[in-house]
Amino acid sequence: MNGFAQQAAAMDEIDMPKTVMSGFKPERVPVYTELANQFAVFDRWFASVPASTQPNRFYVHSATSHGAMSNVRKDLIHGFPQKTIFDSLDENGLTFGIYYQNIPATLFFKSLRKLKHIVKFHSYALKFKLHAKLGRLPNYAVIEQRYFDVDLYPANDDHPSHDVARGQKFVKEVYEILRASPQWKEMALLITYDEHGGFYDHVPTPVTGVPNPDGIIGPDPYYFRFDRLGVRVPTILVSPWVEKGTVIHEPVGPTSTSQFEHSSVPATVKKLFNLKSNFLTKRDAWAGTFDHYLKLRDHPRDDCPETLPKVTAPLRPWGPKEHAKLSEFQVELIQLASQLNGDHVLNSYPNIGKYMTVGEANKYAEDAVKRFLEAGRVALMAGANESAIVTMRPSLTSRTTAVDSGPFVETI
């Protein structure tokens, strides 16, 4: 676990080594502090792969990145083909929903672009609170953050250099909506991070006894074997079925080398809902599950706080920078957006996202998602084949420049 300060120093930014070797005091992140004290925190939950955001997110939903270690433009355009936990839920007659803000990154999976799944995507701002209030949350819900930092709607995803205070406010809002829902007593909320962003941690990464998910080896020049985990990441389990102040250490099985990692999400969902489908890969068959911590009580707690502490001061000295260049992660999202409606085949889009500002990218992504979902809903109303993949021909005139009983909710 050496090299954090040295790598940060190579970035040639003032105080960067100090930043990556530091952390927030509890009072600076009051929402997470309260949730950790009131519910359960994992002290050995690891990223699934020592790589960037997208590969780790793929493990959350499919227990593999299908060989991806970073941005693979071909796969981003055509969609990743592996089976997901959403497919398993659908096979077993259970419901799922994705509540997005700018753009749902879950659309990187090809199967989620099927026409029949169009109705599973919901605007967080318009539908999440309503569904929770009416007791209509699906069995399994994924909540996605705002990924683009603009003045009107600042990012709340905790990516650098976004304001972590915004992320705290978002988690507070999600918790309080769920706490007020009639489904609260049948609910579990998992909050985790895809990877650590380069911050120091003293806990070594597990590098032995980790199975390759599907036999795929990474591309040249690394030929990574996907047989080790990434760094430790913060993870909190919230539920009225969880004992107050719980600290979850290493899992008990299913093997002697099993660990909590992102594949623990589909593995636990399979156990909680007693899914008859097979495991997605060898990785979720191996990963530790946390369903045990939701079964220790005979009845749900009645002392869970209805509200969480207020987040008052920002944690960065500046606001959104709409004219900033895009991060690698944001470029990947724009490439996804360009595929949804066929913009990627136009000669004017070979490097889409490369020259966009954050403000331009936000407008483009939101418009692309709107066009994609609207086209799908029109096709459904017209009686199109429900298993078809939603596609649209690019338009030069219309494109813009710029537990079976209750829901399991996850935010990443």
Side-chain angles (χ1 to χ4, degrees), residues 204-247:
T205 297
V207 296
T208 60
V210 181
N212 177 295
D214 43 23
I216 299 175
I217 304 300
D220 176 65
Y222 304 108
Y223 299 108
F224 184 63
R225 302 186 64 84
F226 297 94
D227 57 358
R228 56 165 290 180
L229 298 181
V231 293
R232 189 173 66 152
V233 294
T235 303
I236 299 174
L237 178 62
V238 176
S239 176
W241 294 93
V242 171
E243 295 292 349
K244 186 175 181 178
T246 298
V247 178

Side-chain angles (χ1 to χ4, degrees), residues 6 15 43 57 72 185 192 227 237 256 280 288 316 407 410:
Q6 293 91 329
D15 289 335
D43 67 357
R57 286 178 174 238
V72 182
K185 292 185 178 180
T192 190
D227 57 358
L237 178 62
S256 60
L280 299 172
R316 67 176 178 187
E410 174 207 356

Side-chain angles (χ1 to χ4, degrees), residues 36 57 65 85 89 106 169 184 187 202 244 306 360 379 407:
R57 286 178 174 238
S65 64
I85 191 61
L89 289 162
T106 38
K169 290 180 180 179
W184 167 249
M187 191 176 295
H202 67 284
K244 186 175 181 178
E306 295 183 3
E360 292 169 343

Side-chain angles (χ1 to χ4, degrees), residues 14 70 90 188 209 240:
I14 298 175
S70 60
D90 190 51

Side-chain angles (χ1 to χ4, degrees), residues 178-195:
L178 297 178
R179 179 64 179 85
S181 171
Q183 293 173 286
W184 167 249
K185 292 185 178 180
E186 304 170 347
M187 191 176 295
L189 166 67
L190 187 78
I191 305 165
T192 190
Y193 285 77
D194 40 62
E195 43 93 7

Side-chain angles (χ1 to χ4, degrees), residues 325-376:
K325 293 181 180 180
L326 301 186
S327 67
E328 179 184 353
F329 171 63
Q330 290 170 331
V331 170
E332 292 173 1
L333 292 176
I334 292 304
Q335 290 177 342
L336 168 62
S338 75
Q339 184 283 145
L340 296 179
N341 304 295
D343 294 339
H344 66 287
V345 304
L346 297 172
N347 291 332
S348 56
Y349 277 81
N351 295 306
I352 189 164
K354 186 175 181 180
Y355 304 108
M356 283 186 177
T357 65
V358 169
E360 292 169 343
N362 180 67
K363 292 178 182 178
Y364 175 76
E366 292 187 352
D367 176 73
V369 172
K370 181 180 179 181
R371 285 186 285 150
F372 174 77
L373 295 180
E374 285 181 349

